[in-house]
């Protein structure tokens, strides 16, 4: 790692979208070939994460002064959705290209060091449970174990959460990934390839300049850093379920004309309940997807005009993300039911899509609590800053 920043040159063939289209196409091809391997090994290997870098996912939210491309959220999310159509775990890991917005509150010198080798820096972080940290001269003495550091096996930098005594807020402490112990213990019913392992530190000194309060305002004024931080993270998670639901519709459609198990039985395509269910699934997905992207585009257009987002717009970002994640999961459940016994076979893709989608809906950023808070805002209650 060099310690001096020279002019950053972005050498990939990025387009107006901020992505290298050839690298993105190759990424989708490789993911399709290797997705069973991801699931078996419980993480996305570094060489695939490197291809995500080349495609432009990890410079998408890096500061412009360090070579970041500042991809508008709705365009970034659409790419995550497309990856999810191929593999849910890969989309989840790619989605953390948006996590650069989390670290944009770090002091300038720390970010200068982070981006010294260029904008394609991969962050991961599991901040909870926050560990008590001892205040020492110039920083913090940190020991603890944290959960759910998705994508940590391919990360360059990892954040952990520490308890700042006297402040009712979590402080992020950022270290190079090589300094942090990774404990490969990710055993879940779905999203198995995300490598959301525990991380551990023992008596590690973290300088003040490498910490910031979780949710603190970024130090840069790039348009992307005026987009609501927590809403963007919720949207990034929800995008995976939108892609999984589209993959489920494609899979169910392919099954419609398949062979019959019993003599005289009608094909799925000839059964009224299947046709009705398929139509309902399409309408459900299209409806929640339009709300999700409309909220994102409207918020971005407001920011580009130089205006402040209203509370209603901020609330719409969170509500549309939670609604999209849960509705997409319901779409997959509906398709699983109407496709019959074949969907229960391990070799059938629908069961993998179903399990992945259920894990997405369990994420705290998309939980039922967000609906309660969003409903409160619609009823005129003041929302907490952390929700907005």
């Amino acid at each position: 790692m060099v310690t001096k920043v020279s002019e950053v040159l972005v050498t990939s063939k990025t387009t107006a979208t901020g992505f290298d289209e050839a690298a993105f196409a190759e990424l989708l091809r490789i993911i399709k070939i290797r997705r069973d391997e991801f699931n078996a090994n419980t993480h996305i290997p570094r060489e695939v994460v490197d291809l995500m870098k080349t495609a432009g996912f990890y410079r998408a939210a890096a500061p412009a002064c360090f070579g970041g491309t500042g991809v508008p959220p709705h365009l970034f999310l659409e790419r995550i959705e497309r990856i999810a159509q191929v593999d849910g775990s890969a989309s989840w890991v790619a989605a953390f290209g948006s996590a650069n917005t989390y670290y944009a509150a770090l002091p300038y010198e720390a970010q200068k060091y982070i981006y010294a080798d260029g904008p394609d820096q991969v962050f991961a972080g599991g901040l909870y449970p926050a560990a008590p940290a001892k205040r020492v001269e110039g920083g913090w003495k940190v020991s603890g174990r944290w959960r759910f550091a998705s994508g940590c096996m391919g990360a360059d930098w990892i954040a952990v959460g520490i308890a700042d005594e006297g402040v009712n807020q979590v402080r992020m402490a950022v270290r190079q990934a090589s300094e942090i112990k990774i404990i490969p213990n990710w055993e879940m019913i779905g999203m198995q390839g995300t490598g959301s392992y525990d991380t551990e530190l023992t008596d590690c000194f973290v300088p003040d300049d490498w910490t910031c309060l979780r949710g603190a305002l970024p130090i840069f004024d790039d348009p992307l850093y005026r987009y609501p931080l927590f809403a963007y993270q919720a949207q990034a998670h929800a995008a995976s379920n939108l892609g999984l639901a589209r993959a489920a519709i494609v899979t169910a459609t392919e099954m419609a004309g398949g062979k019959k198990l019993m003599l005289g039985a009608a094909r799925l395509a000839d059964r009224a309940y299947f046709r009705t269910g398929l139509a309902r699934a399409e309408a459900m997905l299209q409806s929640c997807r339009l709300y999700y992207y409309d909220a994102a585009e409207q918020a971005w257009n407001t920011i580009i005009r130089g205006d402040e987002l209203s509370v209603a717009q901020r609330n719409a970002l969170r509500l549309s993300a939670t609604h999209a994640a849960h509705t997409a999961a319901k779409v997959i459940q509906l398709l699983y039911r109407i496709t019959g016994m074949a969907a229960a076979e391990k070799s059938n893709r629908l069961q993998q899509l179903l399990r992945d989608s259920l894990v997405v809906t369990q994420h705290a950023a998309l939980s039922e609590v967000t609906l309660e808070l969003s409903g409160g805002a619609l009823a005129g209650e003041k929302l907490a800053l952390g929700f907005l």
Side-chain angles (χ1 to χ4, degrees):
M1 170 66 67
V2 298
T3 58
K4 194 173 182 181
V5 175
S6 58
E7 183 179 358
V8 177
L9 298 177
V10 179
T11 56
S12 68
K13 297 176 182 177
T14 54
T15 65
T17 65
F19 291 93
D20 182 324
E21 298 299 340
F24 182 67
E26 177 65 5
L27 174 65
L28 295 180
R29 187 186 74 83
I30 293 297
I31 289 172
K32 185 174 183 179
I33 293 171
R34 300 182 63 178
R35 62 191 178 198
D36 290 340
E37 172 195 334
F38 304 159
N39 191 62
N41 294 339
T42 71
H43 73 275
I44 308 298
R46 184 169 289 276
E47 65 270 17
V48 178
V49 175
D50 286 343
L51 190 51
M52 292 175 181
K53 287 185 179 184
T54 303
F57 282 92
Y58 293 100
R59 69 186 58 177
C65 64
F66 297 132
T69 50
V71 176
H74 56 280
L75 298 182
F76 181 86
L77 297 168
E78 188 269 340
R79 296 297 172 126
I80 300 303
E81 181 186 4
R82 287 171 64 183
I83 293 178
Q85 292 176 37
V86 183
D87 181 65
S89 292
S91 73
W92 194 262
V93 171
F96 282 90
S98 64
N100 298 59
T101 57
Y102 249 98
Y103 304 85
L106 285 173
Y108 179 80
E109 288 302 317
Q111 295 196 55
K112 180 180 176 181
Y113 188 91
I114 286 171
Y115 294 108
D117 286 341
D120 299 308
Q121 301 298 317
V122 181
F123 292 98
L127 304 185
Y128 297 97
K134 184 179 179 181
R135 193 76 173 92
V136 295
E137 185 177 355
W140 305 82
K141 203 75 166 180
V142 179
S143 294
R145 178 165 171 168
W146 299 266
R147 303 199 68 192
F148 307 137
S150 297
C152 59
M153 292 295 285
D156 301 306
W157 307 88
I158 295 177
V160 298
I162 59 177
D164 189 351
E165 188 176 355
V167 178
N168 189 26
Q169 195 167 1
V170 174
R171 179 175 290 273
M172 292 196 310
V174 179
R175 305 312 297 148
Q176 287 185 307
S178 58
E179 297 180 38
I180 293 185
K181 182 179 180 181
I182 294 173
I183 302 165
N185 61 341
W186 180 240
E187 294 292 339
M188 296 287 173
I189 65 165
M191 287 292 184
Q192 190 64 30
T194 62
S196 302
Y197 302 141
D198 284 9
T199 55
E200 189 173 66
L201 279 175
T202 303
D203 290 331
C204 177
F205 173 70
V206 181
D208 282 325
D209 282 353
W210 286 85
T211 73
C212 63
L213 290 176
R214 176 183 177 270
L217 293 175
I219 65 171
F220 303 108
D221 194 35
D222 300 2
L224 185 58
Y225 295 139
R226 284 180 253 137
Y227 197 88
L229 169 65
F230 296 118
Y232 195 14
Q233 295 308 303
Q235 289 175 305
H237 298 317
S240 291
N241 262 13
L242 290 175
L244 292 171
R246 175 51 59 196
I249 289 175
V250 170
T251 301
T253 302
E254 290 171 348
M255 295 170 67
K259 63 182 181 181
K260 298 178 287 186
L261 294 179
M262 295 181 292
L263 288 175
R267 299 178 310 154
L268 284 175
D270 297 326
R271 301 180 187 187
Y273 72 83
F274 177 83
R275 294 181 180 185
T276 301
L278 187 62
R280 183 174 288 117
E282 182 68 30
M284 290 168 64
L285 178 58
Q286 290 281 15
S287 299
C288 73
R289 187 177 183 275
L290 286 172
Y291 177 33
Y292 170 88
Y293 281 110
D294 181 64
E297 287 194 54
Q298 285 198 36
W300 182 251
N301 289 339
T302 297
I303 289 169
I304 292 300
R305 288 196 305 267
D307 297 332
E308 289 288 328
L309 293 181
S310 66
V311 172
Q313 285 179 303
R314 291 171 178 268
N315 189 38
L317 293 175
R318 293 301 302 270
L319 177 56
S320 64
T322 300
H323 178 64
H326 286 264
T327 302
K330 290 176 182 177
V331 165
I332 299 171
Q333 292 168 47
L334 168 61
L335 295 169
Y336 182 83
R337 290 198 305 272
I338 65 174
T339 46
M341 194 62 186
E345 296 175 356
K346 284 188 176 181
S347 60
N348 190 290
R349 191 150 185 247
L350 270 178
Q351 55 81 27
Q352 179 69 58
L353 296 170
L354 175 63
R355 290 187 285 113
D356 284 351
S357 70
L358 293 176
V359 172
V360 173
T361 61
Q362 298 302 99
H363 194 281
L366 302 169
S367 71
E368 296 288 337
V369 174
T370 65
L371 295 177
E372 178 185 348
L373 294 172
S374 183
L378 293 172
E381 295 181 9
K382 186 176 181 180
L383 278 178
L385 182 62
F387 181 79
L388 297 174

